[in-house]
Amino acid sequence: MNRMFGNVRINFLAGIIGLILTFFVSFSSNLLSTSLFRAGAAFIIWFLLAFLLRYVLGSVLVSPPDKGGLESLEFEQETKGAQLDVIAPNDDEVLKDILNYAQAEPNEDQKKPSQSAVDSGFEPLNPPKIVRTKDAEELAQAVRHLSGK
């Protein structure tokens, strides 16, 4: 259950502030009757907005329920299963080993391919090199012809 923050005086204070601000802003460019009507409407709107503000503040500032009593039991049943605590395993040692291995100088054993790589038939990719067979002037003529110049 949510409690509202403060009392109705806050609503009246907000309504009066809205009334005064609206009246003075509206009076400079409207008739007195129009300004008073708009100020009254502003009082009602600000008064109702203060209820909303008080409700939100009451929801945010509510103290947690006591550990005993019926309300705490209902609160516990409502929140049961709503939170999941997951603890990840500590991978610091594995990460340190990987970083130390990557920073270590390669020795003779590491420079040679491992026996398991040779057995599995792994070969690094060796793409063919692109070789130009046409000279630059011939390529320029082809571009000029295609562009229509």
Side-chain angles (χ1 to χ4, degrees):
M1 179 175 172
N2 293 323
R3 267 186 38 161
M4 292 190 95
F5 179 77
N7 53 22
V8 180
R9 289 182 187 170
I10 294 173
N11 294 57
F12 281 111
L13 181 64
I16 300 247
I17 289 172
L19 182 134
I20 292 171
L21 286 174
T22 306
F23 178 76
F24 284 120
V25 169
S26 179
F27 186 67
S28 63
S29 60
N30 292 313
L31 298 172
L32 179 62
S33 62
T34 305
S35 299
L36 287 174
F37 176 76
R38 290 183 180 174
F43 176 83
I44 293 170
I45 291 171
W46 282 60
F47 185 85
L48 295 175
L49 284 175
F51 271 116
L52 179 68
L53 177 68
R54 285 179 49 213
Y55 179 77
V56 170
L57 284 176
S59 298
V60 171
L61 299 178
V62 70
S63 61
D66 296 338
K67 287 297 178 187
L70 183 61
E71 289 183 5
S72 65
L73 182 61
E74 290 174 3
F75 179 74
E76 183 178 322
Q77 288 177 352
E78 288 176 4
T79 59
K80 188 179 278 188
Q83 184 176 1
L84 176 66
D85 293 331
V86 178
I87 299 173
N90 192 359
D91 294 334
D92 289 341
E93 294 300 322
V94 175
L95 185 60
K96 286 179 185 176
D97 291 342
I98 292 171
L99 290 174
N100 288 338
Y101 180 76
Q103 291 176 353
E105 290 290 327
N107 55 23
E108 294 299 322
D109 296 336
Q110 292 174 345
K111 288 181 183 176
K112 296 178 183 176
S114 67
Q115 187 64 26
S116 62
V118 173
D119 291 341
S120 67
F122 173 77
E123 293 182 20
L125 182 63
N126 292 322
K129 294 183 179 180
I130 298 175
V131 180
R132 241 192 258 170
T133 58
K134 306 279 184 183
D135 63 336
E137 183 60 34
E138 194 174 333
L139 290 173
Q141 286 178 352
V143 169
R144 286 186 198 116
H145 174 72
L146 290 175
S147 64
K149 291 185 178 182

